[in-house]
Amino acid sequence: MSNVILNIVNVRKSFGDHHVLKDINLEVHKSEVVTLIGSSGSGKTTLLRCLNLLNEPDSGHIYFFENDLMNPKTDLDKLRMSIGMVFQNFNLFNNKNVIDNCTLALIKLKGMNKEAAEEKAMHYLAKVGMANFAQANVARLSGGQKQRVAIARALCMEPEIMLFDEPTSALDPEMVGEVLEVIQALAKEGMTMVIVTHEMAFAKEVSDKILFMENGIILESGRPEEIFNRPKNERTRLFLKRFTQN
Amino acid sequence: MILTSISDIISKYHSFFTRGLLYTILLAVLGTAGGFLLALPFLGIKTTKIDPIRDSKVSIFIKKVGIGFTNVYTTFFRGTPMMVQAMIFYYGMSLVIHNVTGNNYWWKPIIAGIIVIIINTSAYIIEILRGAVNAIDPGQMEAARSLGFSRKKALYLIIYPQAIKNALPSIGNEFIVNLKDSSVLSVIGIFDLFKATGSVVSTTADSVTPYIITAILYLTLTSITALLVKKLESKRHGGEMKNV
């Protein structure tokens, strides 16, 4: 049990009358790569955003190690420092250049001095292949470059887990590969990750566990080969068929 | 004919115009700069969010009072003429100061005028900045929160700097408005450009030419400022366009 990083218990979330998440339960173990698939509106992005409380569930518990994020007394900001997140639209800070995007939280939240923070930032920028762009204005970067910087920014905090919200959905097709490679390399190093994606081939290759979501519930979960080759549920089969046809 | 009378009046009364011009510029500069600074704490209040789960009852109450006060403040100062505000403030404070301290000889129209134009301008700039904050992509805040920044830190480090930069042209426009609208402060006896022109009119008995001169002076001031604002805007957009 000690290697459970995230434990999601009976999480429900609705927007108005629309029940987006209906009683979700999920455990994420150390070094596990969990991928959420499903059609748009199935609730997978909402679930991911609940994991660091960017979306606040209506009820349930989200344990990050032993801390319940849903407890109002929990120091959310502190715990979020250990939960990295990468967004569909990158969300790099527009008023900062590449390296300052990476060092800001290190300096302002971790109290590191500028030199140490920049050293760390350069290490992670090199890791995603963006070291040469350290001084660049973020507005000048391509989508793929922005997303790699966003990954480096999250890695700088040396998180226990990384959340990826459709990290390649806003990218031109030729840039998808460079971002997926970075994520794959992280998986190999044993980074714990939860990924929402529409890239089925990538999901099949990178995941330890795949969750198929529909209408706010996890309809089916299992190892990639189980889900892709022997889906138990008819809906899962139809969804994957549609995807492989495209 | 008109040209000779213009040059006549300028050569005889240029000191009036110069002095009036200086007061007008002083009012516009202090009004806009001071209004901007005064708007910042109100912006902080207006952009707080009440978190019903994590905020204590006391802090929810304080936030609600602050937001309510800010709304009353902007509604009042944007909804009444600055001329009326100046009258109430100058004569009202005059009475208060006299009653409290026994004399009010130091209470000058220019002091009242500067305070009124600062307050008035701040009410407009609060709304400009609030709009600029709302226009920032919510993803900026989400990214900051996901890294562990509190909402307040994210506002100070990420959101406000971008919003203020984007709002600079609008604040420049407020400066142009102040150059012109400071003329209403002549009502409490400030010797601005408009008041100075009135003095020239009453000594020359020519009630048209001095105002033509004044119109040209105002137009020059506002045109120069408009040009600078435009430059600021194109620099900003130019920088963004290149990346589209």
Side-chain angles (χ1 to χ4, degrees):
Chain A
M1 258 324 263
S2 62
N3 71 342
V4 175
I5 290 188
L6 266 181
N7 187 11
I8 294 111
V9 184
N10 302 123
V11 162
R12 294 164 198 270
K13 170 78 181 168
S14 47
F15 293 114
D17 290 339
H18 181 48
H19 299 285
V20 189
L21 298 177
K22 303 165 186 164
D23 199 21
I24 299 283
N25 290 280
L26 169 68
E27 274 184 11
V28 181
H29 299 86
K30 187 154 180 54
S31 295
E32 196 173 31
V33 178
V34 177
T35 303
L36 303 172
I37 62 171
S39 40
S40 304
S42 59
K44 53 195 192 310
T45 286
T46 304
L47 174 56
L48 189 82
R49 289 166 56 88
C50 281
L51 300 186
N52 65 353
L53 248 61
L54 276 191
N55 281 354
E56 181 121 28
D58 299 332
S59 63
H61 300 281
I62 297 170
Y63 293 97
F64 177 58
F65 294 100
E66 68 281 11
N67 313 285
D68 186 359
L69 300 185
M70 292 288 284
N71 183 342
K73 292 195 178 77
T74 300
D75 186 351
L76 253 188
D77 294 330
K78 194 172 168 221
L79 295 179
R80 279 184 178 141
M81 288 166 67
S82 305
I83 307 175
M85 186 158 194
V86 173
F87 299 84
Q88 183 176 349
N89 294 313
F90 331 123
N91 296 342
L92 292 179
F93 301 137
N94 294 322
N95 57 331
K96 308 276 173 201
N97 67 12
V98 167
I99 192 157
D100 291 348
N101 259 276
C102 297
T103 56
L104 188 71
L106 293 177
I107 294 169
K108 300 288 180 187
L109 298 179
K110 291 202 166 175
M112 286 174 76
N113 65 42
K114 198 164 181 278
E115 290 71 35
E118 288 190 344
E119 196 180 326
K120 194 180 281 278
M122 286 311 293
H123 170 75
Y124 286 107
L125 283 173
K127 197 169 180 144
V128 300
M130 289 298 291
N132 290 337
F133 293 84
Q135 301 302 325
N137 182 339
V138 295
R140 305 268 153 108
L141 304 179
S142 73
Q145 292 172 329
K146 282 182 188 173
Q147 196 59 299
R148 284 187 283 146
V149 172
I151 293 171
R153 175 176 69 179
L155 289 176
C156 277
M157 300 301 281
E158 296 177 335
E160 297 287 344
I161 184 169
M162 288 277 283
L163 311 175
F164 290 88
D165 182 15
E166 304 196 25
T168 59
S169 295
L171 296 178
D172 291 334
E174 71 268 24
M175 290 166 185
V176 170
E178 63 188 71
V179 171
L180 294 185
E181 271 169 35
V182 169
I183 300 174
Q184 223 139 16
L186 284 176
K188 282 210 182 84
E189 286 172 25
M191 175 62 79
T192 313
M193 303 197 271
V194 182
I195 306 170
V196 171
T197 188
H198 290 291
E199 298 285 337
M200 291 304 142
F202 167 72
K204 194 172 177 179
E205 200 175 320
V206 79
S207 312
D208 297 307
K209 185 155 80 182
I210 292 188
L211 310 177
F212 174 69
M213 285 189 73
E214 192 167 90
N215 292 326
I217 58 169
I218 297 171
L219 210 56
E220 186 166 353
S221 75
R223 301 196 57 78
E225 56 275 16
E226 292 170 353
I227 299 282
F228 279 92
N229 303 341
R230 304 180 292 279
K232 293 191 193 79
N233 196 296
E234 182 62 16
R235 320 265 336 167
T236 318
R237 206 178 57 73
L238 281 172
F239 172 79
L240 290 170
K241 194 174 160 200
R242 239 185 314 134
F243 253 96
T244 38
Q245 269 168 358
N246 291 343
Chain B
M1 224 280 289
I2 186 95
L3 284 179
T4 51
S5 57
I6 284 178
S7 66
D8 269 4
I9 287 175
I10 289 177
S11 63
K12 267 191 206 149
Y13 299 100
H14 59 87
S15 64
F16 282 71
F17 290 110
T18 314
R19 196 169 149 223
L21 207 55
L22 284 176
Y23 272 101
T24 291
I25 293 171
L26 179 80
L27 286 166
V29 169
L30 288 181
T32 313
F36 171 73
L37 293 176
L38 183 57
L40 293 177
F42 284 108
L43 176 69
I45 294 168
K46 263 213 121 140
T47 50
T48 49
K49 249 207 183 113
I50 291 168
D51 183 341
I53 296 170
R54 287 169 198 84
D55 284 349
S56 69
K57 282 205 173 87
V58 177
S59 82
I60 289 177
F61 178 74
I62 292 171
K63 282 178 180 180
K64 278 187 175 161
V65 169
I67 292 165
F69 176 75
T70 310
N71 288 340
V72 170
Y73 181 91
T74 52
T75 306
F76 179 79
F77 287 105
R78 297 194 313 157
T80 55
M82 186 158 70
M83 195 187 269
V84 176
Q85 295 161 15
M87 295 294 273
I88 295 172
F89 188 67
Y90 176 61
Y91 292 109
M93 284 303 284
S94 199
L95 279 175
V96 170
I97 292 167
H98 187 82
N99 286 343
V100 173
T101 65
N103 66 64
N104 59 5
Y105 65 90
W106 59 271
W107 181 242
K108 296 275 192 299
I110 186 67
I111 300 171
I114 288 169
I115 294 172
V116 165
I117 198 170
I118 284 175
I119 290 174
N120 185 275
T121 308
S122 75
Y124 286 92
I125 293 183
I126 289 167
E127 291 301 322
I128 289 172
L129 290 178
R130 190 185 57 94
V133 165
N134 289 346
I136 299 290
D137 175 8
Q140 297 282 305
M141 176 58 89
E142 288 180 356
R145 297 308 303 272
S146 80
L147 284 166
F149 288 101
S150 65
R151 192 166 184 282
K152 200 170 170 182
K153 278 184 185 154
L155 285 170
Y156 279 91
L157 295 167
I158 309 296
I159 309 295
Y160 292 156
Q162 294 182 50
I164 289 169
K165 195 174 156 212
N166 294 348
L168 282 180
S170 304
I171 293 169
N173 285 332
E174 280 305 303
F175 180 72
I176 293 175
V177 168
N178 278 341
L179 281 171
K180 294 183 294 174
D181 285 7
S182 57
S183 59
V184 304
L185 294 174
S186 61
V187 75
I188 56 171
I190 292 175
F191 199 80
D192 75 318
L193 184 54
F194 182 75
K195 186 89 173 174
T197 316
S199 306
V200 176
V201 165
S202 59
T203 44
T204 57
D206 176 352
S207 51
V208 177
T209 321
Y211 284 114
I212 291 175
I213 296 169
T214 294
I216 292 168
L217 289 172
Y218 274 119
L219 189 62
T220 311
L221 281 179
T222 53
S223 302
I224 292 170
T225 315
L227 214 70
L228 292 173
V229 169
K230 215 168 182 182
K231 219 168 177 179
L232 199 74
E233 234 169 0
S234 70
K235 194 176 153 197
R236 191 161 70 83
H237 287 150
E240 275 162 21
M241 286 302 181
K242 278 179 205 143
N243 313 303
V244 173

